[in-house]
Amino acid sequence: MKFWKLALAGAAASLALGGAAFAQEAESEASFSFNAGVASDYIFRGVSQTDGPQVFGGVDFSNGPIYAGAWISNVDFGDDTDAEIDLYVGVKPELGPVSFDLAYIYYGYVGEPTGADYAYSEFKVAASVPAGPVTIGTAWYYSPEFFGNTGPALYGEINASYAFNDKWSVGGAVGSQDVDIGGQYTTWNLGVGWAPLDKLALDLRYHDSDLKCGDLCGSKVVLTLKTTLP
């Protein structure tokens, strides 16, 4: 059922960064951070990856605008696949008020059946700009060979968030996924975030799409609890 897992973007991969300044202090220091959490479901662009509860965790390294990391989560595709492991590396330059995020992401799967060809890579180009308490952005992902050897895939979305204060926020996104073997569909989400403590965050989010794939698609409400260290 994982045939619909998306990889967004592409066209913007040739984005000219002429004059872009890297957001970096004169003497930036390397740092590590860790995250872990649980959720009532793992929704990836409108499609459930677990058909039930999720447990996840990750580690991130950063040095100025450069970052890299790894993230792992349980998955349930109805076969022997147990987990998804994401590895990524990227850079976050700035051009005036616009913040960019340019990255390479590899998706691997533990226990996938022989010949399933679930593993794939994608390239990401994202940009966001603040407007007072509102942040508006767009993100694009491109995969030359998508999940399950379904051919090239392109996904693009627009997103926005509004911060009421340092504890409460709302945000959402609308995206369009197009896979060479699989077709096109639209997905959207809207949610509210609450950070009762400095390193603890709760997110309650509604997900939906116009994709038809049984119980894995359609309207879903997901509650996520996440903590970060340090």
Side-chain angles (χ1 to χ4, degrees), residues 44-97:
F44 186 85
R45 314 253 179 357
V47 182
S48 174
Q49 308 299 297
T50 54
D51 195 24
Q54 176 195 24
V55 179
F56 63 88
V59 57
D60 291 281
F61 166 82
S62 64
N63 190 348
I66 300 171
Y67 69 92
W71 182 85
I72 185 170
S73 169
N74 64 297
V75 295
D76 184 358
F77 301 155
D79 54 27
D80 292 333
T81 309
D82 296 318
E84 171 187 329
I85 300 177
D86 300 346
L87 304 175
Y88 47 88
V89 60
V91 62
K92 295 182 176 180
E94 294 183 354
L95 181 59

Coordinates of all heavy atoms in Angstrom, one line a residue, residues 44-97:
F44 N 1.8 10.2 5.7 CA 2.8 10.8 4.8 C 2.1 11.3 3.5 O 1.6 10.5 2.7 CB 3.9 9.8 4.4 CG 5.0 10.4 3.5 CD1 6.1 11.0 4.1 CD2 5.0 10.3 2.2 CE1 7.1 11.6 3.4 CE2 6.0 10.8 1.4 CZ 7.1 11.5 2.0
R45 N 1.9 12.6 3.4 CA 1.2 13.2 2.3 C -0.2 12.5 2.0 O -0.5 12.1 0.9 CB 2.1 13.1 1.0 CG 3.5 13.6 1.3 CD 3.8 14.9 0.7 NE 5.1 15.5 0.9 CZ 6.2 15.1 1.5 NH1 6.3 14.0 2.0 NH2 7.2 15.9 1.5
G46 N -0.9 12.4 3.1 CA -2.3 11.9 3.0 C -2.5 10.4 3.1 O -3.6 10.0 3.1
V47 N -1.4 9.7 3.2 CA -1.5 8.2 3.2 C -0.9 7.7 4.5 O 0.3 8.0 4.9 CB -0.8 7.6 2.0 CG1 -0.9 6.1 2.0 CG2 -1.3 8.1 0.7
S48 N -1.6 6.8 5.2 CA -1.1 6.2 6.4 C 0.1 5.2 6.1 O -0.1 4.3 5.2 CB -2.2 5.4 7.2 OG -1.6 4.7 8.3
Q49 N 1.2 5.3 6.8 CA 2.3 4.4 6.7 C 2.3 3.3 7.8 O 3.1 2.4 7.7 CB 3.6 5.2 6.7 CG 3.7 6.4 5.8 CD 3.5 6.0 4.4 OE1 4.4 5.2 3.8 NE2 2.5 6.4 3.7
T50 N 1.5 3.4 8.8 CA 1.5 2.5 9.9 C 0.1 1.8 10.1 O 0.1 0.8 10.8 CB 1.9 3.2 11.2 OG1 1.1 4.3 11.4 CG2 3.4 3.6 11.1
D51 N -0.9 2.4 9.6 CA -2.3 1.9 9.9 C -2.5 1.7 11.3 O -3.1 0.8 11.8 CB -2.5 0.6 9.1 CG -4.0 0.2 9.0 OD1 -4.8 1.1 9.1 OD2 -4.3 -1.0 8.9
G52 N -2.0 2.7 12.1 CA -2.1 2.6 13.6 C -1.0 3.5 14.2 O -0.4 4.3 13.6
P53 N -0.7 3.2 15.5 CA 0.2 4.1 16.2 C 1.7 4.1 15.6 O 2.1 3.1 15.0 CB 0.3 3.5 17.6 CG -1.1 2.8 17.8 CD -1.3 2.2 16.4
Q54 N 2.3 5.2 15.9 CA 3.7 5.4 15.4 C 4.6 5.7 16.6 O 4.3 6.4 17.5 CB 3.8 6.5 14.4 CG 5.2 6.9 13.9 CD 5.3 8.2 13.2 OE1 4.5 9.1 13.5 NE2 6.3 8.4 12.4
V55 N 5.9 5.2 16.5 CA 6.9 5.5 17.4 C 8.1 5.9 16.6 O 8.5 5.2 15.6 CB 7.3 4.3 18.3 CG1 8.5 4.8 19.3 CG2 6.1 3.9 19.2
F56 N 8.7 7.1 16.8 CA 9.8 7.5 16.0 C 10.9 8.2 16.8 O 10.7 8.6 17.9 CB 9.3 8.5 14.9 CG 8.6 9.8 15.5 CD1 9.4 10.9 15.7 CD2 7.3 9.8 15.8 CE1 8.9 12.0 16.2 CE2 6.7 11.0 16.3 CZ 7.5 12.1 16.5
G57 N 12.1 8.4 16.1 CA 13.2 9.1 16.8 C 14.2 9.5 15.8 O 14.3 8.9 14.7
G58 N 15.0 10.5 16.1 CA 16.1 10.9 15.2 C 17.2 11.6 15.8 O 17.1 12.0 17.0
V59 N 18.3 11.9 15.0 CA 19.4 12.6 15.5 C 19.8 13.6 14.4 O 19.7 13.2 13.2 CB 20.6 11.7 15.9 CG1 21.0 10.8 14.7 CG2 21.8 12.5 16.3
D60 N 20.2 14.8 14.7 CA 20.5 15.8 13.7 C 21.9 16.5 14.1 O 22.1 16.7 15.3 CB 19.5 16.9 13.6 CG 18.2 16.4 13.0 OD1 18.1 16.3 11.8 OD2 17.2 16.1 13.8
F61 N 22.7 16.7 13.1 CA 23.9 17.4 13.2 C 23.8 18.7 12.4 O 23.3 18.8 11.3 CB 25.1 16.6 12.7 CG 26.4 17.4 12.5 CD1 27.2 17.6 13.6 CD2 26.7 17.9 11.2 CE1 28.4 18.4 13.4 CE2 27.9 18.6 11.0 CZ 28.7 18.9 12.1
S62 N 24.3 19.8 13.0 CA 24.3 21.1 12.2 C 25.6 21.9 12.5 O 26.2 21.8 13.6 CB 23.1 22.0 12.6 OG 23.2 22.3 14.0
N63 N 26.0 22.6 11.5 CA 27.2 23.5 11.6 C 27.0 24.6 10.7 O 27.1 24.6 9.5 CB 28.5 22.7 11.2 CG 29.7 23.5 11.6 OD1 29.6 24.7 11.9 ND2 30.9 22.9 11.5
G64 N 26.5 25.8 11.3 CA 26.1 26.9 10.4 C 24.9 26.5 9.6 O 24.0 26.0 10.1
P65 N 24.9 26.7 8.3 CA 23.8 26.4 7.5 C 23.7 25.0 7.0 O 22.8 24.5 6.4 CB 24.0 27.3 6.3 CG 25.5 27.4 6.1 CD 26.0 27.4 7.6
I66 N 24.8 24.2 7.3 CA 24.9 22.8 6.8 C 24.3 21.9 7.9 O 24.5 22.0 9.1 CB 26.3 22.4 6.6 CG1 26.9 23.3 5.5 CG2 26.5 21.0 6.1 CD1 28.4 23.2 5.3
Y67 N 23.5 20.9 7.5 CA 23.0 19.9 8.4 C 22.9 18.5 7.8 O 23.0 18.3 6.6 CB 21.6 20.4 8.8 CG 20.5 20.3 7.7 CD1 19.7 19.1 7.6 CD2 20.3 21.3 6.9 CE1 18.8 19.0 6.6 CE2 19.3 21.3 5.9 CZ 18.6 20.1 5.7 OH 17.6 20.1 4.7
A68 N 22.8 17.6 8.7 CA 22.6 16.2 8.3 C 21.9 15.4 9.4 O 22.0 15.9 10.5 CB 24.0 15.5 8.0
G69 N 21.3 14.3 9.1 CA 20.6 13.6 10.1 C 20.1 12.2 9.7 O 20.2 11.8 8.6
A70 N 19.5 11.6 10.7 CA 18.9 10.3 10.5 C 17.6 10.2 11.3 O 17.5 10.8 12.4 CB 19.8 9.1 10.9
W71 N 16.6 9.5 10.8 CA 15.3 9.4 11.4 C 14.8 8.0 11.2 O 14.9 7.5 10.1 CB 14.4 10.5 10.9 CG 13.0 10.5 11.5 CD1 12.6 11.2 12.6 CD2 11.8 10.0 10.9 NE1 11.3 11.1 12.8 CE2 10.8 10.3 11.8 CE3 11.6 9.2 9.8 CZ2 9.4 9.9 11.6 CZ3 10.2 8.8 9.6 CH2 9.2 9.1 10.5
I72 N 14.1 7.4 12.2 CA 13.6 6.1 12.1 C 12.1 6.0 12.6 O 11.8 6.7 13.6 CB 14.5 5.0 12.8 CG1 14.0 3.6 12.5 CG2 14.6 5.3 14.3 CD1 14.9 2.5 13.0
S73 N 11.3 5.2 12.0 CA 9.9 5.1 12.4 C 9.5 3.7 12.1 O 9.9 3.1 11.1 CB 9.0 6.1 11.7 OG 7.6 5.8 12.0
N74 N 8.5 3.1 12.9 CA 7.9 1.9 12.5 C 7.0 2.1 11.3 O 6.4 3.2 11.1 CB 7.1 1.3 13.6 CG 5.9 2.2 14.1 OD1 6.1 3.3 14.5 ND2 4.7 1.7 13.9
V75 N 6.8 1.1 10.5 CA 5.8 1.2 9.3 C 5.1 -0.2 9.3 O 5.5 -1.2 9.8 CB 6.5 1.5 8.0 CG1 7.1 2.9 8.0 CG2 7.6 0.4 7.7
D76 N 4.0 -0.2 8.5 CA 3.2 -1.4 8.3 C 2.6 -1.4 6.9 O 1.7 -0.7 6.7 CB 2.1 -1.5 9.4 CG 1.3 -2.8 9.3 OD1 1.6 -3.6 8.4 OD2 0.4 -3.0 10.1
F77 N 3.2 -2.2 6.0 CA 2.8 -2.3 4.7 C 2.1 -3.6 4.4 O 1.8 -3.9 3.2 CB 4.0 -2.1 3.7 CG 4.8 -0.9 3.8 CD1 6.1 -0.8 3.5 CD2 4.2 0.3 4.4 CE1 6.8 0.4 3.6 CE2 4.9 1.5 4.5 CZ 6.2 1.5 4.1
G78 N 1.8 -4.3 5.4 CA 1.1 -5.6 5.2 C 2.0 -6.7 4.8 O 1.6 -7.8 4.4
D79 N 3.4 -6.5 5.0 CA 4.4 -7.5 4.7 C 5.4 -7.6 5.8 O 5.0 -7.2 7.0 CB 5.0 -7.3 3.3 CG 5.6 -5.9 3.2 OD1 6.0 -5.3 4.2 OD2 5.7 -5.4 2.1
D80 N 6.6 -8.0 5.6 CA 7.6 -8.1 6.7 C 8.3 -6.8 6.9 O 9.2 -6.8 7.8 CB 8.6 -9.2 6.3 CG 7.9 -10.6 6.3 OD1 7.0 -10.8 7.1 OD2 8.4 -11.5 5.6
T81 N 8.0 -5.8 6.2 CA 8.7 -4.5 6.4 C 8.4 -4.0 7.8 O 7.2 -3.8 8.2 CB 8.3 -3.5 5.4 OG1 8.5 -4.0 4.1 CG2 9.2 -2.2 5.5
D82 N 9.5 -3.7 8.6 CA 9.3 -3.2 10.0 C 9.5 -1.8 10.2 O 8.8 -1.2 11.1 CB 10.2 -4.0 10.9 CG 10.0 -5.5 10.9 OD1 8.8 -5.9 10.9 OD2 10.9 -6.3 10.9
A83 N 10.4 -1.2 9.5 CA 10.8 0.2 9.8 C 11.2 1.0 8.6 O 11.7 0.4 7.6 CB 11.9 0.2 10.9
E84 N 11.1 2.3 8.7 CA 11.6 3.2 7.7 C 12.8 4.0 8.3 O 12.7 4.4 9.4 CB 10.6 4.2 7.3 CG 11.0 5.3 6.4 CD 10.0 6.4 6.1 OE1 8.8 6.0 6.1 OE2 10.3 7.6 6.0
I85 N 13.9 4.1 7.6 CA 15.1 4.8 8.0 C 15.4 5.9 7.0 O 15.7 5.5 5.8 CB 16.3 3.9 8.3 CG1 16.0 2.8 9.3 CG2 17.5 4.7 8.7 CD1 17.1 1.9 9.6
D86 N 15.3 7.1 7.4 CA 15.6 8.2 6.5 C 17.0 8.8 6.8 O 17.3 9.1 8.0 CB 14.6 9.4 6.6 CG 13.2 8.9 6.3 OD1 13.1 7.8 5.7 OD2 12.3 9.6 6.6
L87 N 17.8 9.0 5.8 CA 19.1 9.7 5.9 C 19.1 10.9 5.0 O 18.6 10.9 3.9 CB 20.2 8.8 5.5 CG 20.3 7.4 6.2 CD1 21.4 6.5 5.6 CD2 20.6 7.6 7.7
Y88 N 19.6 12.0 5.6 CA 19.5 13.3 4.8 C 20.7 14.2 5.1 O 21.3 14.2 6.1 CB 18.2 14.0 5.1 CG 17.8 14.1 6.5 CD1 18.3 15.2 7.3 CD2 17.1 13.1 7.2 CE1 18.0 15.3 8.6 CE2 16.8 13.2 8.5 CZ 17.2 14.4 9.2 OH 16.9 14.5 10.6
V89 N 20.9 15.0 4.1 CA 22.0 16.1 4.2 C 21.5 17.3 3.4 O 20.9 17.2 2.4 CB 23.3 15.6 3.7 CG1 23.3 15.2 2.2 CG2 24.4 16.6 3.9
G90 N 21.8 18.5 4.0 CA 21.3 19.7 3.3 C 22.0 20.9 3.7 O 22.9 20.9 4.6
V91 N 21.5 22.0 3.2 CA 22.0 23.3 3.5 C 20.9 24.3 3.5 O 19.9 24.2 2.7 CB 23.1 23.8 2.5 CG1 22.6 23.9 1.1 CG2 23.8 25.1 2.9
K92 N 20.9 25.3 4.4 CA 19.9 26.3 4.5 C 20.4 27.7 4.4 O 20.7 28.4 5.4 CB 19.2 26.1 5.9 CG 18.5 24.8 6.1 CD 17.8 24.7 7.4 CE 17.0 23.4 7.6 NZ 16.3 23.3 8.9
P93 N 20.6 28.1 3.1 CA 21.0 29.5 2.9 C 19.9 30.5 3.0 O 18.7 30.1 3.0 CB 21.6 29.4 1.5 CG 20.7 28.4 0.8 CD 20.4 27.4 1.9
E94 N 20.2 31.8 3.1 CA 19.2 32.8 3.2 C 19.5 33.9 2.1 O 20.7 34.2 1.8 CB 19.2 33.5 4.5 CG 18.7 32.6 5.7 CD 18.7 33.3 7.0 OE1 19.1 34.4 7.1 OE2 18.2 32.6 8.0
L95 N 18.4 34.4 1.5 CA 18.5 35.5 0.6 C 17.6 36.5 1.0 O 16.4 36.4 0.8 CB 18.2 35.0 -0.9 CG 18.3 36.0 -2.0 CD1 19.7 36.6 -2.1 CD2 18.0 35.4 -3.3
G96 N 18.0 37.6 1.6 CA 17.2 38.6 2.2 C 16.3 38.0 3.2 O 16.7 37.2 4.1
P97 N 14.9 38.2 3.2 CA 14.0 37.6 4.1 C 13.7 36.1 3.9 O 13.0 35.5 4.6 CB 12.8 38.5 4.0 CG 12.8 38.9 2.6 CD 14.2 39.1 2.2

